[in-house]
Amino acid sequence: MKFLIITGVMAAIMFAGCSKNASSCGSTTSPTAQADILQPALTAWQQGDKATAVSNFLAADWSGRPSSVSGSILSLTKDQYHALSDADRQAKSVQVTAQLKVLRDMTEHGVEQAGLDAASKGDSAQARKCFMSLKQCGTALDRPDVMQIVQLTGQAIKKIADKEMAKIGQ
């Protein structure tokens, strides 16, 4: 439920927060590779293989950020988004929203839940690994050059990770 509220707010900000003039929306740096890093986990999640999705998410190397990824919807920068035609912007918005919904579902009901389950069983190392992976993912998405909805999703994921890490004393 908390992600549905955040999604609505983020969508409103995405459409209202930046003008059609790309220069008013931030930097022109190249996109990140987070979609490629995330893709194995997202694919497994969409196929209903939650254990593999969580395992792939935890195995992702969040420190690697190659300079560009062609075709990666979550790496679309603000400038690239605003350079699109109105019709293409609407289509990309639908794609981004759908991809972020899967990501939020996986992080909340997969990775966060795995961390909570580990913590309840006294496995603080595994819980810490889950929550640190969430934090790293959120940090990777929370970049000023990406679309604001992606950036805000990253911030929300980081807040969840911080809250859960505080509960286990980290």
Side-chain angles (χ1 to χ4, degrees), residues 20 22 73 76-93 95-96 147:
K20 288 184 181 181
I73 194 68
L76 188 66
T77 67
K78 294 172 187 177
D79 289 343
Q80 291 169 332
Y81 176 77
H82 289 292
L84 299 170
S85 68
D86 287 342
D88 287 343
R89 265 195 308 274
Q90 282 187 318
K92 292 294 184 191
S93 293
Q95 292 173 347
V96 167
M147 294 173 59

Coordinates of all heavy atoms in Angstrom, one line a residue, residues 20 22 73 76-93 95-96 147:
K20 N 8.8 20.6 -20.7 CA 9.2 19.9 -22.0 C 10.7 20.3 -22.4 O 11.3 19.6 -23.1 CB 8.3 20.2 -23.1 CG 6.9 19.5 -22.9 CD 6.0 19.8 -24.1 CE 4.7 19.1 -23.9 NZ 3.8 19.3 -25.0
A22 N 14.2 20.2 -22.0 CA 15.1 19.2 -21.3 C 16.1 19.9 -20.5 O 16.5 19.4 -19.4 CB 15.8 18.3 -22.3
I73 N 15.0 0.9 -20.1 CA 14.0 1.9 -19.8 C 14.3 2.7 -18.5 O 14.1 3.9 -18.4 CB 12.6 1.3 -19.8 CG1 11.5 2.4 -19.8 CG2 12.4 0.4 -18.6 CD1 11.5 3.1 -21.1
L76 N 16.8 5.7 -18.8 CA 16.4 6.8 -19.6 C 16.6 8.1 -18.8 O 16.1 8.2 -17.7 CB 15.0 6.7 -20.0 CG 14.4 7.7 -21.0 CD1 15.1 7.5 -22.4 CD2 12.9 7.6 -21.1
T77 N 17.4 9.0 -19.3 CA 17.7 10.3 -18.6 C 16.6 11.3 -18.8 O 15.7 11.1 -19.7 CB 19.0 10.9 -19.0 OG1 18.9 11.4 -20.4 CG2 20.2 10.0 -18.9
K78 N 16.5 12.3 -18.0 CA 15.5 13.3 -18.1 C 15.7 14.0 -19.5 O 14.6 14.2 -20.2 CB 15.7 14.4 -17.0 CG 15.5 13.9 -15.6 CD 15.9 14.9 -14.6 CE 15.8 14.4 -13.2 NZ 16.2 15.3 -12.2
D79 N 16.9 14.3 -19.9 CA 17.1 14.9 -21.2 C 16.6 14.0 -22.4 O 15.9 14.5 -23.3 CB 18.5 15.2 -21.4 CG 19.0 16.4 -20.6 OD1 18.2 17.1 -20.0 OD2 20.2 16.5 -20.4
Q80 N 16.9 12.7 -22.3 CA 16.4 11.8 -23.3 C 14.9 11.7 -23.3 O 14.2 11.7 -24.4 CB 17.0 10.4 -23.1 CG 18.4 10.3 -23.3 CD 19.0 9.0 -22.8 OE1 18.5 8.4 -21.9 NE2 20.1 8.6 -23.4
Y81 N 14.3 11.7 -22.1 CA 12.8 11.6 -22.0 C 12.2 12.9 -22.7 O 11.2 12.8 -23.4 CB 12.4 11.5 -20.6 CG 10.9 11.6 -20.3 CD1 10.1 10.4 -20.6 CD2 10.3 12.7 -19.8 CE1 8.8 10.5 -20.3 CE2 9.0 12.7 -19.6 CZ 8.2 11.6 -19.8 OH 6.8 11.7 -19.6
H82 N 12.7 14.0 -22.3 CA 12.1 15.3 -22.8 C 12.4 15.5 -24.3 O 11.7 16.3 -25.0 CB 12.6 16.5 -22.0 CG 11.9 16.4 -20.7 ND1 10.6 16.6 -20.5 CD2 12.4 16.2 -19.4 CE1 10.3 16.5 -19.2 NE2 11.4 16.2 -18.5
A83 N 13.4 14.8 -24.9 CA 13.7 14.9 -26.3 C 12.7 14.1 -27.1 O 12.6 14.3 -28.4 CB 15.1 14.5 -26.6
L84 N 11.9 13.2 -26.5 CA 10.9 12.4 -27.2 C 9.7 13.2 -27.6 O 9.4 14.2 -27.0 CB 10.5 11.2 -26.3 CG 11.6 10.3 -25.9 CD1 11.0 9.3 -24.8 CD2 12.1 9.5 -27.1
S85 N 9.0 12.7 -28.6 CA 7.7 13.3 -29.0 C 6.7 13.0 -27.8 O 6.9 12.2 -27.0 CB 7.2 12.7 -30.3 OG 6.8 11.3 -30.0
D86 N 5.6 13.8 -27.8 CA 4.6 13.6 -26.8 C 4.1 12.1 -26.8 O 4.0 11.5 -25.7 CB 3.4 14.5 -27.0 CG 3.7 16.0 -26.7 OD1 4.7 16.2 -26.0 OD2 2.9 16.8 -27.1
A87 N 3.9 11.5 -27.9 CA 3.4 10.2 -28.0 C 4.4 9.2 -27.4 O 4.1 8.3 -26.7 CB 3.0 9.8 -29.4
D88 N 5.7 9.4 -27.8 CA 6.8 8.5 -27.3 C 7.0 8.7 -25.8 O 7.2 7.8 -25.1 CB 8.1 8.8 -28.0 CG 8.1 8.3 -29.4 OD1 7.2 7.4 -29.8 OD2 9.0 8.7 -30.2
R89 N 6.8 10.0 -25.3 CA 6.9 10.2 -23.8 C 5.8 9.4 -23.1 O 6.1 8.8 -22.1 CB 6.8 11.7 -23.5 CG 8.2 12.4 -23.4 CD 8.1 13.7 -22.7 NE 7.1 14.6 -23.3 CZ 7.4 15.4 -24.3 NH1 8.5 15.4 -24.9 NH2 6.4 16.2 -24.8
Q90 N 4.6 9.5 -23.6 CA 3.5 8.7 -23.0 C 3.8 7.3 -23.0 O 3.6 6.6 -22.0 CB 2.2 9.0 -23.7 CG 1.6 10.3 -23.3 CD 0.2 10.5 -23.9 OE1 -0.1 10.1 -25.0 NE2 -0.7 11.0 -23.1
A91 N 4.3 6.7 -24.1 CA 4.6 5.3 -24.2 C 5.7 4.9 -23.2 O 5.7 3.9 -22.5 CB 5.0 4.9 -25.6
K92 N 6.8 5.7 -23.1 CA 7.9 5.5 -22.2 C 7.4 5.6 -20.8 O 7.9 4.8 -19.9 CB 9.1 6.4 -22.4 CG 9.8 6.2 -23.7 CD 10.5 4.9 -23.8 CE 11.3 4.8 -25.1 NZ 11.8 3.5 -25.4
S93 N 6.5 6.5 -20.5 CA 6.0 6.7 -19.1 C 5.3 5.4 -18.7 O 5.4 5.0 -17.5 CB 5.1 7.9 -19.0 OG 5.8 9.1 -19.2
Q95 N 5.9 2.4 -19.8 CA 6.9 1.3 -19.7 C 7.7 1.5 -18.4 O 7.9 0.5 -17.6 CB 7.9 1.4 -20.8 CG 7.3 0.9 -22.2 CD 8.3 1.1 -23.3 OE1 9.3 1.8 -23.2 NE2 7.9 0.6 -24.5
V96 N 8.0 2.7 -18.1 CA 8.8 3.0 -16.8 C 7.9 2.7 -15.6 O 8.4 2.0 -14.7 CB 9.3 4.5 -16.8 CG1 9.7 4.9 -15.4 CG2 10.4 4.7 -17.8
M147 N 15.2 9.9 -14.8 CA 13.8 10.4 -14.6 C 13.5 10.5 -13.1 O 13.9 9.7 -12.3 CB 12.8 9.6 -15.4 CG 13.0 9.6 -16.9 SD 12.0 8.4 -17.7 CE 10.4 8.9 -17.3

